Amino acid sequence: QVQLVESGGGLVQAGGSLRLSCAASGTMFGFNAMGWYRRGPGKQRELVATITTGGTTNYTDSLKGRFTISRDNAKNTVALQMNSLKPEDTAVYYCYAWRNYLARRYDYWGQGTQVTVSS
């Protein structure tokens, strides 16, 4: 069974940095794309960034320049470097991955890791 496990969340002051990591286990196969979503207090879940096997990235416009996504295909890991953090970045961050297998799409989610940015 595929599991995505996040790490690296925590409490940081505004202007600081955090690096989130996510490792997939329970599979020998890769994913078409991996990425991060987040859900802030009282908000809907939103896309942060995704990255394909080939390295194509997609960011929510408001986060470009502050967040950087990277991936290690061989290890099935994805990371999110977050710089110049703001209190509005406070959220639970979820690792996400999807793959196609036998003409079906499979989506996977991690349990989430809390990021809190203090002002």
Side-chain angles (χ1 to χ4, degrees), residues 72-100:
D72 186 329
N73 293 329
K75 295 181 179 179
N76 265 344
T77 60
V78 62
L80 184 70
Q81 178 66 40
M82 305 185 292
N83 298 327
S84 302
L85 283 162
K86 304 175 182 179
E88 51 263 43
D89 294 318
T90 295
V92 178
Y93 285 71
Y94 297 92
C95 181
Y96 166 73
W98 73 270
R99 65 158 64 121
N100 282 324

Side-chain angles (χ1 to χ4, degrees), residues 38-46 86-91 94:
R38 69 184 185 183
R39 187 192 301 272
K43 299 180 182 179
Q44 292 187 332
R45 186 174 61 192
E46 64 173 348
K86 304 175 182 179
E88 51 263 43
D89 294 318
T90 295
Y94 297 92

